[in-house]
């Protein structure tokens, strides 16, 4: 898969290109990345990429022209390499919420994507209207630009691609995801069995795999009830909660 990223800070992408499972996958040629700096597509002596907002107000706006020239260079480059055009994705605080479902779709898309990372207060709306296919947000908090959001999306998608995880076959990944029914994962423990007087839950040492599975499910239900009641409701309306799950939740609320 080929990913292009348009950014004033292309060095930021070294983290996803070089580190961890995404780094290994990149080395293996499972995905490739090209970064494009809009500053390289300016024509004035100061290499200007931002200007003051029409109508006034604080901060600066990213100019359309250097972004248009970047997208155009990416299209030419993809054509030269006989690669298909890919959707242009803007990372934006006003985008739709990025989810695992979006990551799955990106991981399965053959064309990959072009990520546009904004800086300053925003991007000239005419560029968005004419060139951007999708807009995604990471959530309701303020970042200083789109790069970290783009890197998060790339990480979320690449780790799902076949061959990326040591032990993963994405079908194993999927069946593990599915077994959680969209609930939060249960706690994990490893050696030592006793950590300064703090023991590992006995059930995990029992060797009884049915008991272990039920304990983990109940931990998931409890955690999701406490921290993400929205996900619990979603699992319920998707028909993913069993009668035994419902009995456990009822008992939980009576305590
Ligand atoms: C005062 C208005 N601000 C909007 C909340 C302006 C503004 C802040 C931060 C405009 C752009 C940015 C930079 N953020 C992103 O580019 C961004 C982002 C984010 O800030 N939060 C969550 N997801 C994303 S995706 C891109």
């Amino acid at each position: 898969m080929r990913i292009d990223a348009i950014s004033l800070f292309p060095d930021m992408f070294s983290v996803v290109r070089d580190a961890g499972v995404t780094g290994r996958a990149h080395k293996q040629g499972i995905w490739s990345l090209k970064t494009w700096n809009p500053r390289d597509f300016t024509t004035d002596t100061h290499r200007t990429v931002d200007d003051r907002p029409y109508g006034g107000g604080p901060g600066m706006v990213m100019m359309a022209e250097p972004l248009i020239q970047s997208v155009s260079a990416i299209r030419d480059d993809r054509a030269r390499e006989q690669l298909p055009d890919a959707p242009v994705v803007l990372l934006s605080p006003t985008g739709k919420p990025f989810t695992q479902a979006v990551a799955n779709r990106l991981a399965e898309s053959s064309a990959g994507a072009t990520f546009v990372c904004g800086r300053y207060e925003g991007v000239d709306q005419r560029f968005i209207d004419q060139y951007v296919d999708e807009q995604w947000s990471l959530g309701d908090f303020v970042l200083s630009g789109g790069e970290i959001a783009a890197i998060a999306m790339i990480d979320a998608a690449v780790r799902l691609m076949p061959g990326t995880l040591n032990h993963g076959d994405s079908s194993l990944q999927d069946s593990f995801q599915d077994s959680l029914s969209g609930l939060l994962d249960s706690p994990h423990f490893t050696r030592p069995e006793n950590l300064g007087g703090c023991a590992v839950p006995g059930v995990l040492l029992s060797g009884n795999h049915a008991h272990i599975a039920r304990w983990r499910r109940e931990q998931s239900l409890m955690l999701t009830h406490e921290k993400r009641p929205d996900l619990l409701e979603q699992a319920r309306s998707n028909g993913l909660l069993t009668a035994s799950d419902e009995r456990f939740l009822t008992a939980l609320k009576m305590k």
Side-chain angles (χ1 to χ4, degrees):
M1 175 188 296
R2 159 74 170 269
I3 301 285
D4 293 281
I6 300 172
S7 166
L8 291 170
F9 300 97
D11 293 350
M12 289 181 71
F13 289 83
S14 60
V15 61
V16 71
R17 183 195 273 126
D18 300 336
V21 290
T22 56
R24 191 178 323 123
H26 182 265
K27 222 173 183 174
Q28 290 173 340
I30 290 170
W31 69 291
S32 65
L33 175 70
K34 273 196 183 176
T35 57
W36 307 80
N37 191 335
R39 219 174 276 290
D40 295 336
F41 297 90
T42 54
T43 51
D44 64 316
T45 52
H46 294 103
R47 310 222 296 158
T48 312
V49 293
D50 63 324
D51 207 338
R52 296 179 310 176
Y54 280 117
M60 300 293 272
V61 176
M62 272 184 102
M63 299 169 75
E65 198 58 41
L67 296 174
I68 293 169
Q69 294 310 316
S70 301
V71 168
S72 177
I74 289 166
R75 286 186 178 146
D76 292 349
D77 195 60
R78 280 177 169 262
R80 248 196 321 277
E81 297 182 26
Q82 299 181 12
L83 294 167
D85 271 344
V88 175
V89 175
L90 177 67
L91 290 309
S92 165
T94 60
K96 290 190 279 183
F98 178 68
T99 61
Q100 191 63 37
V102 180
N104 290 337
R105 256 181 281 143
L106 177 58
E108 285 166 13
S109 77
S110 47
T114 291
F115 291 99
V116 180
C117 305
R119 284 271 152 176
Y120 317 115
E121 286 305 295
V123 174
D124 191 306
Q125 187 61 36
R126 292 165 297 182
F127 170 77
I128 299 173
D129 293 342
Q130 292 172 48
Y131 292 90
V132 170
D133 300 303
E134 306 169 13
Q135 297 185 60
W136 301 109
S137 164
L138 242 48
D140 297 334
F141 52 89
V142 182
L143 297 170
S144 44
E147 283 82 3
I148 287 177
I151 290 163
M153 280 189 71
I154 294 167
D155 183 89
V158 168
R159 64 180 290 283
L160 296 175
M161 293 176 67
T164 293
L165 293 175
N166 314 332
H167 50 276
D169 196 297
S170 64
S171 60
L172 281 177
Q173 274 274 124
D174 288 350
S175 63
F176 178 66
Q177 282 285 357
D178 291 350
S179 77
L180 287 175
S181 313
L183 304 177
L184 300 182
D185 198 4
S186 56
H188 300 276
F189 298 87
T190 187
R191 295 194 296 176
E193 208 174 300
N194 186 312
L195 185 75
C198 210
V200 173
V203 61
L204 298 179
L205 310 174
S206 69
N208 185 328
H209 296 291
H211 282 177
I212 291 169
R214 195 172 66 207
W215 181 84
R216 285 181 171 156
R217 182 70 176 187
E218 290 175 353
Q219 290 289 313
S220 283
L221 290 163
M222 213 154 60
L223 284 170
T224 311
H225 171 73
E226 280 172 22
K227 298 201 258 185
R228 293 294 303 276
D230 59 314
L231 293 181
L232 196 55
E233 207 35 63
Q234 204 175 97
R236 184 175 281 129
S237 69
N238 290 338
L240 297 174
L241 299 186
T242 65
S244 151
D245 289 341
E246 294 293 2
R247 278 196 302 277
F248 177 78
L249 288 168
T250 304
L252 191 68
K253 285 167 205 160
M254 289 189 319
K255 281 204 293 182

